[in-house]
Amino acid sequence: MDVIELFKKLLSFKSITPNDDGGMEFIKEYLNDFEVIENEKEGVKNLFIYKKFSEGDHLCFGGHIDVVPPGEGWESDPFTPTEKEGFIYARGAQDMKSGLAAFLWAMKNAQNFKGTLSALITSDEEGDAVWGTKYMLEILKEKNMIPDYAIVAEPTCEKVFGDAIKIGRRGSINGYLKLKGLQGHAAYPEKAINPIHQIAPVLPKIAGFNLDEGDEHFSPSKIVITDIRAGMEVTNVTPGELKMMFNVRNNTHTNKEKIKNYFDKCFEGLNYSLELKQSAEPFITNPDTKVVKALDKAIKKETGTTPKHSTAGGTSDARFFAKYGVKVVEFGVRNDTIHAPNERTTPEEVIKLADIFKDVIEEWK
């Protein structure tokens, strides 16, 4: 089975989160000479397959078999891979069954490895991600099997294949603010406390405000206001309370405490409450780390391109690896149709991705 056959087989599983549709059993059969640790919790299936070739580093490939629902607007069956005009169309073509096929094929076909080679695959990356990679890593820690290095095969390339890898990700902090006022008649503003009027002079200090300057790897941590609401949708009653929601995609220079301190300063003297929830932690892997250099070298060999080191985008399961001190990077095919109708990628990208992962394995020193 070549990598394109494998890719099409994986695409044919209707693995909408958290259902794997039999995909995990197929993967176990495909890599039947690897050891297996697996679990299922709250409908989520996790598979860890590994082989110790010799003493040395433990390199793990991370990925997910689950996909988002196909939605409307498809020109072909989203779970029947369709080749047309140089592309393969199916849900998960980019995110991320291309990456899954590439590293499974590389693990099966690479000649030896200096250390332990493994893959951690979940059916819950696109969902809440509570019982997926995060949970499986807890189990691996108990077994003293946390890898030294990891490559998560998410789609990372921007304009051409090979132009970008991710060496880190921003975190995500959600904010919920309530500003208390005193409801009253619009004709008697002196008898009310209008929270809309109170927040008006504060908004320029928070809307789009950069909490830090960023650095060579990260853009600044910006306050992005996503919702403001107050009142009863009438013209003659001033509101008694205002609610505001915001998000900060934070780098390693900003945390919840820094955000709280800034809001305390901006809203000093006002009756407000603030709740902050960190849904993802930021991380960065040093570009001089072994796994980054190995991936850079393999990409250059197969594509002639020197990839840029990016931290852009949302979150991924790489953040869970980083929490355990794993030196983790991400690399996969182009990212331009993920989660969209008629998601697609090219056979050439999948083949090159598999060859790059094979090179990394075989050239690991």
Side-chain angles (χ1 to χ4, degrees):
M1 182 178 289
D2 64 30
V3 69
I4 297 302
E5 290 177 289
L6 174 60
F7 179 41
K8 289 181 178 179
K9 178 65 177 178
L10 293 171
L11 289 171
S12 69
F13 291 108
K14 193 174 181 180
S15 51
I16 299 171
T17 311
N19 181 28
D20 75 313
D21 194 33
M24 295 298 201
E25 287 299 318
F26 169 77
I27 291 170
K28 287 194 294 182
E29 293 172 8
Y30 180 75
L31 289 181
N32 55 21
D33 58 337
F34 279 65
E35 299 292 322
V36 173
I37 298 174
E38 57 187 328
N39 67 62
E40 181 174 354
K41 190 173 178 69
E42 302 295 330
V44 175
K45 289 186 179 180
N46 299 303
L47 179 65
F48 182 73
I49 47 179
Y50 66 98
K51 182 190 288 189
K52 184 174 182 178
F53 291 88
S54 65
E55 295 299 325
D57 296 326
H58 179 176
L59 173 64
C60 179
F61 288 93
H64 60 94
I65 195 167
D66 63 311
V67 297
V68 297
E72 302 296 328
W74 285 80
E75 296 176 3
S76 57
D77 186 331
F79 294 103
T80 301
T82 303
E83 287 199 62
K84 185 173 64 175
E85 298 176 349
F87 291 94
I88 298 175
Y89 291 81
R91 174 56 84 221
Q94 289 185 338
D95 188 12
M96 61 160 284
K97 291 182 180 179
S98 49
L100 184 60
F103 71 66
L104 290 174
W105 181 89
M107 291 171 69
K108 188 175 183 69
N109 290 279
Q111 301 297 311
N112 264 319
F113 178 71
K114 296 176 179 63
T116 297
L117 191 61
S118 70
L120 196 167
I121 304 161
T122 184
S123 70
D124 186 33
E125 194 273 348
E126 299 290 5
D128 294 335
V130 174
W131 303 114
T133 299
K134 178 182 178 182
Y135 179 62
M136 195 61 174
L137 284 166
E138 293 173 6
I139 294 173
L140 293 180
K141 182 173 176 59
E142 292 173 359
K143 295 178 179 293
N144 197 29
M145 295 185 69
I146 292 292
D148 303 300
Y149 302 93
I151 299 174
V152 177
E154 291 284 359
T156 61
C157 297
E158 298 172 359
K159 295 182 179 179
V160 297
F161 178 72
D163 65 2
I165 68 174
K166 293 192 187 297
I167 62 169
R169 291 273 191 166
R170 297 173 299 173
S172 180
I173 298 173
N174 296 314
Y176 308 86
L177 181 135
K178 290 183 181 179
L179 183 58
K180 291 285 188 179
L182 179 63
Q183 182 178 313
H185 197 296
Y188 303 95
E190 70 279 1
K191 296 182 179 181
I193 300 173
N194 191 329
I196 297 176
H197 292 182
Q198 287 188 318
I199 203 171
V202 180
L203 281 176
K205 301 176 184 178
I206 58 175
F209 180 78
N210 290 336
L211 292 155
D212 56 57
E213 297 181 356
D215 57 30
E216 60 181 316
H217 301 302
F218 287 107
S219 57
S221 303
K222 185 185 295 292
I223 300 172
V224 177
I225 297 174
T226 56
D227 190 270
I228 297 179
R229 61 188 64 199
M232 297 179 289
E233 298 188 31
V234 295
T235 59
N236 61 347
V237 181
T238 59
E241 181 181 83
L242 177 146
K243 296 180 180 179
M244 184 181 78
M245 300 169 67
F246 63 93
N247 177 262
V248 178
R249 294 300 166 118
N250 65 306
N251 59 41
T252 53
H253 302 290
T254 289
N255 54 25
K256 289 195 298 183
E257 183 180 4
K258 185 171 183 178
I259 296 172
K260 181 182 180 304
N261 291 339
Y262 184 71
F263 271 72
D264 284 344
K265 179 181 177 182
C266 291
F267 286 84
E268 185 177 4
L270 300 180
N271 183 11
Y272 81 101
S273 64
L274 177 66
E275 182 182 8
L276 298 171
K277 294 183 178 180
Q278 181 103 44
S279 60
E281 297 280 354
F283 73 91
I284 188 74
T285 297
N286 191 310
D288 291 327
T289 301
K290 187 174 181 177
V291 69
V292 179
K293 297 175 102 173
L295 196 51
D296 280 346
K297 182 179 178 182
I299 293 169
K300 179 72 172 179
K301 174 185 173 184
E302 296 294 340
T303 70
T305 300
T306 300
K308 74 175 184 180
H309 296 158
S310 171
T311 61
T315 61
S316 77
D317 277 1
R319 69 191 190 273
F320 299 129
F321 285 94
K323 186 176 179 180
Y324 286 91
V326 180
K327 304 297 186 293
V328 60
V329 296
E330 300 173 57
F331 179 64
V333 299
R334 282 182 295 169
N335 175 348
D336 59 1
T337 61
I338 67 169
H339 295 199
N342 303 306
E343 183 178 353
R344 68 184 192 179
T345 191
T346 65
E348 290 77 16
E349 288 186 45
V350 180
I351 292 169
K352 285 183 180 180
L353 182 61
D355 287 338
I356 287 167
F357 288 157
K358 185 171 179 284
D359 288 343
V360 169
I361 293 170
E362 293 182 339
E363 297 299 320
W364 193 266
K365 293 181 175 60

